[in-house]
Amino acid sequence: MNLLTEREREVLLHLGTGAGNRELAGELGIAERTVKAHIQRIVMKLDQNSRLEAAVLSVLAHHLLCSDPHCTRCAAGAAHARRTGAPLLTM
Ligand SMILES: [Zn+2]
């Protein structure tokens, strides 16, 4: 996860919501082909086989990527960690 740039982490975070390239581009204010380039690099850096695998990783590692203190998905992740006594994933 530390291999990723700030921007790539941001793209990865949004990728976990299941958004398509066009939605991601709109969300991040960048061109669709830039989104594709980011995702390709993320998939490569994280040693995944596809954007789908990267998206799954994004969901699992959400709490590592997200910096929104009011995020409800983060709260859900923290509750899960308390129940199981372990963080979902450490990288
Ligand atoms: Zn969050």
Side-chain angles (χ1 to χ4, degrees), residues 23-80:
E23 285 171 273
L24 287 171
E27 196 83 38
L28 298 166
I30 55 180
E32 208 174 319
R33 64 172 190 282
T34 311
V35 171
K36 275 187 202 162
H38 275 311
I39 291 174
Q40 265 170 19
R41 207 164 307 132
I42 291 165
V43 168
M44 208 174 63
K45 281 189 181 178
L46 296 180
D47 203 22
Q48 303 298 301
N49 294 312
S50 66
R51 66 177 284 158
L52 183 64
E53 287 187 17
V56 171
L57 203 58
S58 167
V59 173
L60 292 174
H62 176 86
H63 57 294
L64 297 176
L65 297 166
C66 188
S67 53
D68 179 359
H70 305 297
C71 175
T72 53
R73 292 173 65 205
C74 278
H80 177 85

